[in-house]
Amino acid sequence: MNDPIQKLVEIFSHFPGIGARQARRFAYYVLTRDSVQIKNLIDSIQEGKKTVIACSECGRLFSRKDAKLKLCDICADSKRETSLLMVVARDVDVESIEKSDIYHGYYFVLGGTVPILDEKPETRVRISPLQKKIEEKIKTGLKEIVLAFDLNPEGEHTVQYVSKTIAPLVEKNSLTLTLLGRGLSTGTELQYSDSDTIKNALQNRASVK
């Protein structure tokens, strides 16, 4: 029989940014909770699997109150700026940007970043859906695409891959392609940046060269 402690450690070790030591701490923490806390955890996960879906427009996860609902609150908001589309790696990046209260355009969640040595980047991220989304947004007035990725080697590699892939659409339709500017320091992850830092980065965004 498999060791239940080790099984939990293996499960937690697959979580983003979690190493073996943290995974083991999580395992022991969970196993020392009382039955009520464990039940709440299990119920929350099961409820989330039933009600949380990916937005059909941007790919962002959201909790729907109506079974027929397919759009998140951002994509369903007709008052947002149709001329702007920001491409981010993860759902949590959308939350960080929204807290800054300076960006009011739409989003597209790429689903991750592209490792530098990856030979099949198209299997890592949602690049084809992004191209289709850009084509759709052009019809409703899209003028600028903002690439908002972590300021680290993998994030910069993703910028290169995405900008190269969508270049034909950008050039054909005279779109502006920009990056977050001054404000974010090297190595910074968007999800850990405060609102003022993100505001500065958005206000000082620069064109992709």
Side-chain angles (χ1 to χ4, degrees):
M1 181 181 293
N2 292 332
D3 182 353
I5 296 177
Q6 188 56 38
K7 187 174 182 179
L8 277 174
V9 171
E10 290 177 2
I11 291 173
F12 287 127
S13 66
H14 290 296
F15 284 24
I18 301 301
R21 182 177 297 179
Q22 288 176 304
R24 187 164 293 278
R25 288 173 60 190
F26 286 176
Y28 281 115
Y29 177 82
V30 169
L31 292 172
T32 55
R33 299 307 93 187
D34 60 41
S35 58
V36 174
Q37 290 175 302
I38 295 298
K39 185 178 185 303
N40 286 338
L41 174 61
I42 294 173
D43 289 347
S44 295
I45 293 174
Q46 292 179 332
E47 182 65 20
K49 290 297 292 182
K50 291 179 182 178
T51 61
V52 175
I53 64 168
C55 174
S56 61
E57 284 285 319
C58 68
R60 170 177 169 248
L61 293 177
F62 74 102
S63 180
R64 58 178 178 179
K65 298 178 181 179
D66 185 336
K68 296 180 180 179
L69 199 61
K70 294 183 178 180
L71 299 181
C72 67
D73 57 338
I74 295 176
C75 289
D77 186 356
S78 60
K79 295 181 180 180
R80 298 188 75 98
E81 296 179 35
T82 57
S83 63
L84 293 170
L85 178 66
M86 180 177 289
V87 185
V88 299
R90 302 168 296 267
D91 302 74
V92 291
D93 297 330
V94 174
E95 296 176 11
S96 297
I97 298 293
E98 283 296 286
K99 288 178 182 178
S100 71
D101 196 32
I102 191 173
Y103 176 80
H104 303 292
Y106 291 96
Y107 295 91
F108 184 87
V109 179
L110 198 61
T113 51
V114 181
I116 295 175
L117 299 178
D118 198 298
E119 297 181 353
K120 295 183 178 180
E122 68 278 3
T123 64
R124 288 275 187 172
V125 295
R126 302 171 58 238
I127 194 66
S128 292
L130 172 60
Q131 291 172 297
K132 292 179 181 178
K133 182 52 56 185
I134 292 173
E135 291 174 345
E136 292 174 5
K137 289 294 185 182
I138 287 171
K139 298 175 183 178
T140 57
L142 177 64
K143 299 298 182 184
E144 179 182 351
I145 300 171
V146 184
L147 302 183
F149 301 117
D150 297 337
L151 203 59
N152 56 33
E154 195 164 295
E156 292 174 0
H157 181 64
T158 304
V159 166
Q160 294 174 5
Y161 170 68
V162 172
S163 58
K164 181 179 180 180
T165 304
I166 66 175
L169 280 172
V170 171
E171 295 170 3
K172 179 181 178 181
N173 297 280
S174 300
L175 301 177
T176 299
L177 185 60
T178 59
L179 295 171
L180 295 183
R182 290 176 300 171
L184 293 176
S185 57
T186 301
T188 299
E189 291 188 25
L190 277 179
Q191 61 179 312
Y192 300 126
S193 300
D194 59 49
S195 295
D196 288 337
T197 298
I198 291 176
K199 281 183 181 180
N200 289 332
L202 281 167
Q203 290 172 336
N204 294 289
R205 59 186 185 272
S207 297
V208 175
K209 297 180 180 180

